[in-house]
Amino acid sequence: MIILSVDLGKARTGLAVSDISETLASPLAQIHEKSPEALLDKVANVALAQRAELIVVGLPKNMDGTEGDSAKYARDFGVRLKEKTGILVRMQDERGTTITAHNLLNATNTRGKKRKNVVDSVAATIILQNFLDSKNPSK
């Protein structure tokens, strides 16, 4: 099954996709969009074009596990995305993924504009890989 993952942002949203065996997550795209409605349309179009059968949306919990406004926005986005596409949406705790993405980009010496252009899709990849690993611990 193809799984799409979404790392929501206020200006940039990262997307990643799994392989059909649900083993490996790969960066897919970064969407530059501030309008929530336009972003919903763009993510829905990508999900349908990729033939995703499941969408994983990153849930930005606070470090103590509580949920604030960003988490509410992510949950609402997930509900609306499911309504728009008919594709099942699951939420995945994304605590620490952006920091991990920056650390990975540091390790590859990715800097400046290039870094800004990929960090959200790398974060979406980490969210998806965490989901895949928790779903299939034997893999």
Side-chain angles (χ1 to χ4, degrees), residues 23-37:
T23 304
L24 185 64
S26 299
L28 181 64
Q30 191 160 268
I31 298 172
H32 299 268
E33 184 60 64
K34 292 183 181 179
S35 162
E37 287 305 315

Side-chain angles (χ1 to χ4, degrees), residues 34-53:
K34 292 183 181 179
S35 162
E37 287 305 315
L39 178 61
L40 181 67
D41 289 342
K42 289 178 180 182
V43 173
N45 288 338
V46 170
L48 295 171
Q50 291 292 318
R51 296 189 174 110
E53 296 177 64

Side-chain angles (χ1 to χ4, degrees), residues 105-120:
L105 293 171
N106 284 343
T108 60
N109 201 27
T110 305
R111 306 270 185 234
K113 189 173 185 176
K114 185 173 183 184
R115 179 190 199 102
K116 192 174 186 179
N117 288 334
V118 299
V119 69
D120 297 297

